[in-house]
């Protein structure tokens, strides 16, 4: 058997030996051993399942350590059961439905990376749109600590949240199986030009997730997943090949979800939205793409506008006694957490390696109970310092 079975191969470039279907078949036949994941409540179709109670009460360091192992070296996919409150999800769904209605009224067809445009409903840049449309809902939604724990495990503390809402309507066709951003969005004829170490590094730059905004039985088409496929070195090239697409169709699994559940997976895991064969389920999911602070997110976002919109809700959450952790979670999802690029003549790092980020400015404003008007002045001065 060729040596391309796992990502431990240290070739400089992806070669034909790294795209051997027999190697891939052997790799994804790996069983997920529950004994390796003592905090998981179940192994379901190869995916690890974690209960809301465990996520809320387990030692934070131990849980994050186990999630790193699960996403990198294990099945590559975890399911969090019941971690989003139904009332919060419903309020967000109402906002997303209103945004979709506005899009339809404006005309035009929403595209899809890996599916036919116009068949389903998609809200691009949904995080910013939700923040501006319903800032209180946004703040409550992204204060969720289960989301923060898995993001911190994979990406560290200053992750960047973006999202796209996807509504797969009855009769909606499945997506083509794929890996995700960054290398997952590189043209096929360019992939081999990226050295092998970038194929290994790309999955560490983002985390994929989806929050179920309705019950998702099998007939609604929950995400098709192939556990352990993220470990295949040649996967970014291989998923374009028909023999891999055909094989995926024979072995992929779909884990039904309930409203308020969330699934998170390594972006290198081969996956795709399933076919909605139901007659009456509009399958709504908030697709999360969380990025490393050291990379760039897929979507450009006006973080200052989001902060201005959400800040009064953050003040209200603080006054209501919400925890510092919840406030930090919501701020991380709203503001820019990375200090660079900047103008170091005006925005000098004094007493640290980097000048204050927008996240730092918002947290400081919350600590000092600044008014929204005072925060607006802070943001304006922060932006001016960073200009060239």
């Amino acid at each position: 058997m060729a040596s391309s079975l796992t990502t431990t191969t240290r070739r400089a470039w992806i070669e034909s030996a790294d795209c051997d279907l027999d190697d891939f078949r052997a790799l994804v036949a790996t069983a997920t051993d529950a004994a390796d994941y003592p905090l998981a409540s179940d192994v379901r179709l190869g995916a690890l399942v974690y209960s809301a109670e465990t996520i809320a009460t387990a030692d934070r360091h131990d849980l994050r350590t186990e999630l790193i192992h699960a996403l990198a070296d294990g099945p590559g996919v975890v399911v969090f059961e019941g971690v989003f409150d139904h009332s919060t999800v419903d309020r967000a769904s109402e906002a997303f439905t209103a945004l979709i209605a506005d899009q339809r009224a404006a005309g035009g067809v929403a595209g899809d990376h890996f599916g036919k445009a116009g068949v389903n409903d998609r809200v691009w840049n949904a995080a910013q749109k939700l923040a501006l449309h319903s800032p209180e809902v946004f703040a409550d939604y992204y204060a969720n600590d289960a989301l923060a724990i898995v993001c911190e495990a994979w990406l560290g503390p200053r992750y960047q949240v973006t999202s796209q809402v996807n509504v797969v309507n009855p009769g909606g066709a499945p997506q083509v199986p794929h890996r995700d951003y960054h290398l997952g969005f590189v043209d096929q004829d360019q992939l081999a030009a990226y050295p092998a170490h970038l194929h290994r590094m790309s999955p560490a730059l983002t985390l994929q997730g989806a929050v179920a905004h309705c019950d998702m039985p099998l007939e609604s088409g929950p995400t098709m997943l192939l556990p352990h496929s993220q470990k295949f070195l040649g996967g970014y090239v291989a998923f374009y090949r028909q023999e891999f697409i055909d094989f995926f169709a024979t072995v992929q699994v779909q884990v039904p979800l309930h409203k308020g559940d969330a699934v998170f997976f390594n972006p290198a895991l081969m996956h795709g939205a399933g076919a909605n064969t139901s007659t009456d389920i509009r399958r709504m999911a908030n697709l999360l793409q969380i990025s490393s602070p050291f990379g760039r997110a897929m979507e450009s976002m006006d973080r200052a506008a989001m902060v201005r919109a959400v800040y009064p809700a953050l003040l209200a959450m603080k006054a209501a006694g919400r925890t510092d952790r919840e406030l930090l979670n919501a701020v991380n999802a709203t503001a820019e957490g990375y200090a660079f690029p900047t103008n170091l003549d005006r925005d000098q790092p004094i007493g640290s390696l980097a000048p204050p980020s927008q996240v730092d400015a918002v947290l400081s404003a919350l600590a000092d109970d600044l008014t929204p008007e005072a925060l607006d002045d802070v943001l304006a001065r922060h932006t001016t310092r960073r200009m060239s």
Side-chain angles (χ1 to χ4, degrees), residues 332-386:
N332 274 337
T334 310
E336 173 57 54
Y338 198 40
F340 303 110
T342 192
N343 184 327
L344 287 171
D345 281 325
R346 289 197 296 259
D347 195 26
Q348 297 185 17
I350 299 173
S352 65
L353 294 174
S357 70
Q358 195 179 69
V359 164
D360 294 322
V362 176
L363 290 175
S364 179
L366 279 173
D368 293 337
D369 291 317
L370 294 188
T371 65
E373 293 76 15
L375 174 70
D376 194 61
D377 182 62
V378 169
L379 291 175
R381 287 187 280 110
H382 185 265
T383 299
T384 299
R385 287 198 305 270
R386 295 165 61 84

Side-chain angles (χ1 to χ4, degrees), residues 157-226:
R158 291 298 173 90
Y159 52 87
Q160 304 171 86
V161 174
T162 62
S163 81
Q164 300 113 32
V165 170
N166 195 27
V167 180
V168 179
N169 297 312
Q175 286 183 326
V176 175
H178 57 279
R179 284 181 165 187
D180 245 303
Y181 190 70
H182 292 74
L183 279 186
F185 283 25
V186 172
D187 288 343
Q188 180 180 3
D189 60 357
Q190 298 176 9
L191 279 167
Y194 288 86
H197 68 269
L198 289 181
H199 287 247
R200 289 188 288 267
M201 181 185 74
S202 184
L205 294 176
T206 58
L207 174 69
Q208 302 302 123
V211 179
H213 277 239
C214 65
D215 287 344
M216 297 183 179
L218 282 177
E219 62 267 26
S220 73
T223 303
M224 302 179 292
L225 306 161
L226 188 48

